[in-house]
Amino acid sequence: MATQSPFSFLESVFQSLIPPGLQPPTWMVEEAQRRTVLLLNHVLMQEPEATARLARQTGNVMLVQWRGFTLSLLATPAGLLDLAGPQAKPDLTLSITQESPFALLESALRGDKPEVRIEGDVQLAAEVNWLVDHIRWDIEEDLSRIVGDGPAHTIGQAARSMVRALRQFAGTVLAPGANRAPR
């Protein structure tokens, strides 16, 4: 008997509950994009090398696409990001090729990057790749500002343990050959 991914059931439920072509309201998309830019800038500001690299790309526009969602980002002189105008022509287009949100979650649990089609400025693509490889959000540090160092460290340890367990689970369930029943 073949073992399936635990996400295949969730994906079929997701597909049956959400009608195709359903789009969130424009105001919600714009607000989500603004919040995403704020989060990205918060993370970038924690690493001076990241802002220096991004400052060298001032004025360049990066378009990130996944399914029907797009995010157009403009590199600012401060080495941060801003939403690009609707008429901005992208210098770099990053299209996430995996359509399934659950397949993306599976690859994230394995620690893999999603498959991305890259078109445009090679130097800008190299800088974006460096940012993806080297920038990490220190959630525990941000949480310590709210609840203190001790509780933040405890919450961080619990979260890391949960992620390790999920990765181990994903590795055993999704490993090559795991889809076959033992003989």
Side-chain angles (χ1 to χ4, degrees), residues 86-113:
Q87 303 303 323
K89 179 181 173 282
D91 298 294
L92 176 67
T93 301
L94 304 168
S95 302
I96 300 172
T97 58
Q98 180 54 257
E99 291 290 320
S100 166
F102 297 104
L104 283 174
L105 179 60
E106 283 179 351
S107 66
L109 287 174
R110 286 192 307 265
D112 298 339
K113 291 181 189 176

Side-chain angles (χ1 to χ4, degrees), residues 48-98:
E49 178 64 20
T51 55
R53 285 174 173 264
L54 206 49
R56 291 192 294 254
Q57 300 298 327
T58 297
N60 284 336
V61 176
M62 297 151 276
L63 177 65
V64 181
Q65 301 175 323
W66 178 67
R67 296 177 74 166
F69 302 101
T70 61
L71 180 62
S72 189
L73 301 168
L74 173 70
T76 68
L80 299 174
L81 298 168
D82 196 3
L83 287 175
Q87 303 303 323
K89 179 181 173 282
D91 298 294
L92 176 67
T93 301
L94 304 168
S95 302
I96 300 172
T97 58
Q98 180 54 257

Side-chain angles (χ1 to χ4, degrees), residues 10 31 45-46 54 65 67 85 103 112 115 117 133 137 158 162 165 169-170 181:
L10 291 175
E31 189 60 28
M45 286 189 294
Q46 296 175 1
L54 206 49
Q65 301 175 323
R67 296 177 74 166
D112 298 339
E115 293 181 23
R117 187 179 71 241
D133 286 344
W137 181 17
M162 189 169 58
F169 173 74

Side-chain angles (χ1 to χ4, degrees), residues 132-154:
V132 169
D133 286 344
H134 292 89
I135 303 301
R136 296 291 175 261
W137 181 17
D138 189 356
I139 300 171
E140 192 173 314
E141 177 65 28
D142 285 344
L143 191 56
S144 74
R145 294 180 190 143
I146 299 169
V147 298
D149 290 340
H153 181 67
T154 303

